[in-house]
Amino acid sequence: MGHILHSTILVPYHGWRISHRTHHQNHGNVEKDESWVPMSEDLYNGLSSRTKFLRFKIPFPLFAYPVYLWHRSPGKTGSHFNPYSNLFAPQERKHIMTSTTCWIAMVVFLVYLSFVIGPSMTFKLYGVPYLIFVAWLDVVTYLHHHGYEQKLPWYRGKEWSYLRGGLTTIDRDYGIFNGIHHDIGTHVIHHLFPQIPHYHLVEATKAAKPVIGKYYREPKKSGPIPFHLIENLVSSMKQDHYVSNSGEIVFYQTDPNLFSPPKSA
């Protein structure tokens, strides 16, 4: 079932499953996290101006997911499609081969469909919904770990722990989309206790808040459509660019020249 559902949205099931497991096991860790992980200052400074622009200038980051599946994040090597990628253990390679084969089968089907009904109609029926899915996925996953009103810490070395990392995640209210998301907006509990099924996340969050206390950040209430998240997204993209090369507790820093026009000679 995982292969059928994920292949239809061009995601290699086992590749994503394993990398997402890595994300959960290392959430909040600058060096080991897997999802929207911060870049060190040296790594950031080594990027080309084009890469920085595409990484931080909306709307381009909203379509990063397919690129991430192929190349991972800046500073990391490997691919979700390559069974020999360092993302995977040797015993997992056969699973990656199966998922990549299913992904190829879906691509072949889309090519065949474009011959049957035409490329334009294929794009309208599949391409447009796919792009909407990718953009929404990138917004949701990014804002669960970025864009809070105050800067949140990221950790290295001995300062990192599973609990500390999990408490840096952010709950979000998605309005009418909460139910469609299976309440994934209750993201803190989802990270601290990933074994809790989605239909108990709201209940578990209510029970955990008194225990978590000041370390729980109440999400801003949304109207039917979560337009308030646009401000969080735009603000974070303008401010959260890199973290210090050293230190075991670090915060995002801002490149003030990122979007400045080049100075004339």
Side-chain angles (χ1 to χ4, degrees), residues 162-174:
Y162 182 85
L163 177 60
R164 268 188 153 183
L167 290 175
T168 64
T169 59
I170 305 166
D171 279 7
R172 298 292 187 185
D173 184 357
Y174 296 105

Side-chain angles (χ1 to χ4, degrees), residues 75-87:
K76 294 182 181 291
T77 58
S79 168
H80 288 74
F81 299 92
N82 182 357
Y84 294 94
S85 168
N86 57 15
L87 264 172

Side-chain angles (χ1 to χ4, degrees), residues 29 31 155-161 247-248:
N29 189 310
E31 296 166 339
Y155 301 99
R156 290 189 181 101
K158 295 180 180 179
E159 290 292 343
W160 180 87
S161 70
E248 296 193 341

Side-chain angles (χ1 to χ4, degrees), residues 56-197:
F56 296 104
K57 183 64 175 179
I58 296 174
F60 302 108
L62 306 188
F63 302 100
Y65 187 56
V67 179
Y68 163 72
L69 291 176
W70 279 102
H71 301 289
R72 298 177 72 192
S73 302
K76 294 182 181 291
T77 58
S79 168
H80 288 74
F81 299 92
N82 182 357
Y84 294 94
S85 168
N86 57 15
L87 264 172
F88 314 119
Q91 63 269 24
E92 295 170 331
R93 289 172 183 165
K94 61 181 180 179
H95 299 305
I96 307 308
M97 294 175 67
T98 300
S99 296
T100 299
T101 301
C102 291
W103 184 91
I104 292 172
M106 182 61 189
V107 172
V108 170
F109 170 74
L110 290 173
V111 172
Y112 168 76
L113 192 64
S114 70
F115 281 104
V116 174
I117 65 175
S120 178
M121 185 59 68
T122 301
F123 179 74
K124 292 176 183 177
L125 294 177
Y126 184 87
V128 173
Y130 173 76
L131 291 175
I132 294 172
F133 147 70
V134 167
W136 186 249
L137 177 69
D138 278 331
V139 168
V140 169
T141 54
Y142 182 85
L143 288 178
H144 279 154
H145 302 277
H146 298 77
Y148 190 65
E149 284 72 15
Q150 290 85 40
K151 288 187 180 294
L152 299 178
W154 287 77
Y155 301 99
R156 290 189 181 101
K158 295 180 180 179
E159 290 292 343
W160 180 87
S161 70
Y162 182 85
L163 177 60
R164 268 188 153 183
L167 290 175
T168 64
T169 59
I170 305 166
D171 279 7
R172 298 292 187 185
D173 184 357
Y174 296 105
I176 62 174
F177 299 106
N178 284 325
I180 299 174
H181 284 169
H182 300 299
D183 294 310
I184 197 60
T186 52
H187 212 65
V188 176
I189 288 300
H190 170 65
H191 263 266
L192 293 177
F193 306 100
Q195 68 272 27
I196 294 179

